[in-house]
Structures are given as C-alpha cells and as structure tokens.
Amino acid sequence: MKVKSFMLLLLVAATVLTSCSKEGNEAPGGTYTYKLTGPAAPVVEVQYTPTLTDPNMTEVPDDIEYEEVVTPPWEKTVTVHQNVSGVGFSASVREGVPGAKYKMSINDKDGNILEAGDITLDAYGDGTLLLNYYR
C-alpha cells in the first residue's frame, strides 16, 4: 500500500510541479509507451502517469485510470500536454517465482527507450521498480 500511495503522490507531483510553462518557449506534448515484459505472475500491479491533455489540470481526477492489475507482456501508450514535463511508471510483482526477471521501460513515440530497468524477484517472489522520465 505504501508503494501505491507513493506512486500516486509522484504522479500528482509530476503533473502539478512540472506543469509550469514559459510563454513562447513551450515544447510540444509527448507520447510515451510503458512496457513490462517477463513471466506471468499471480499479481502484477502497474501505476503510470496517465493521458493528461488538459493544461489547467492540477490533480489527476478520480475517473482517470492510472493503476491496473496486468499480465506480462503489457504495454500502455499515453499522451501528455506540453506543460507536463515528466512521466512515471511503476510495477509491483507479488507471489511470483523467486528469481524471475522482468524488464520495464518508458519509450518515446518512435520506440526509443528513454528509461529502463529490471526487477528480479526476491526469495518471496516479490519485487518493485519505479521509473521516471523528465524531458
């Protein structure tokens, strides 16, 4: 539960704190794809910065999905407004096979990897990783 609370705080902070823009110096919005690969596990929870296209949004509304229970391989593509300068992606694996390996990445619209990392499950079959990308 601590990971969920932390990720929610990170998602809101990335949206709110990095939403400032300078007039005449705005970069275009971005499209990102989150990817998770590895063996199937009973529980894999992912959290990510969702599609955010409203420049006046100061919080992630309750009706926007940003958490899912998934089965690898999994990917999700989102688009963020030009004022949002960062995205985050986390995965938490529970009850998997100890030692199993998972790969995570945040990719740009052309498929280039912007951030990546690996999860190796511990002796209990658990593992967590958080990736952040700021442009």
Side-chain angles (χ1 to χ4, degrees):
M1 195 56 141
K2 289 180 183 180
V3 172
K4 280 187 177 183
S5 298
F6 176 73
M7 187 59 186
L8 177 58
L9 178 62
L10 176 68
L11 293 172
V12 172
T15 303
V16 175
L17 296 177
T18 62
S19 291
C20 300
S21 66
K22 297 176 183 174
E23 288 185 37
N25 193 20
E26 294 182 1
T31 298
Y32 302 94
T33 299
Y34 310 118
K35 291 187 176 188
L36 172 69
T37 60
V43 180
V44 181
E45 295 176 354
V46 295
Q47 294 181 326
Y48 48 85
T49 302
T51 292
L52 300 171
T53 56
D54 181 352
N56 299 313
M57 186 181 301
T58 58
E59 316 184 341
V60 178
D62 291 336
D63 63 341
I64 292 181
E65 185 175 300
Y66 62 89
E67 295 182 314
E68 298 181 42
V69 175
V70 302
T71 301
W74 174 88
E75 68 179 60
K76 177 85 165 188
T77 300
V78 301
T79 302
V80 296
H81 187 272
Q82 63 192 9
N83 293 350
V84 178
S85 63
V87 293
F89 171 39
S90 75
S92 180
V93 182
R94 293 191 327 238
E95 303 172 14
V97 175
K101 296 183 184 297
Y102 294 80
K103 293 191 177 293
M104 293 175 54
S105 64
I106 299 174
N107 303 323
D108 67 12
K109 66 180 180 178
D110 297 321
N112 299 310
I113 295 174
L114 303 171
E115 285 293 329
D118 298 324
I119 302 171
T120 300
L121 302 187
D122 65 16
Y124 300 101
D126 300 335
T128 300
L129 181 64
L130 168 64
L131 300 176
N132 290 309
Y133 171 74
Y134 297 97
R135 50 186 167 126

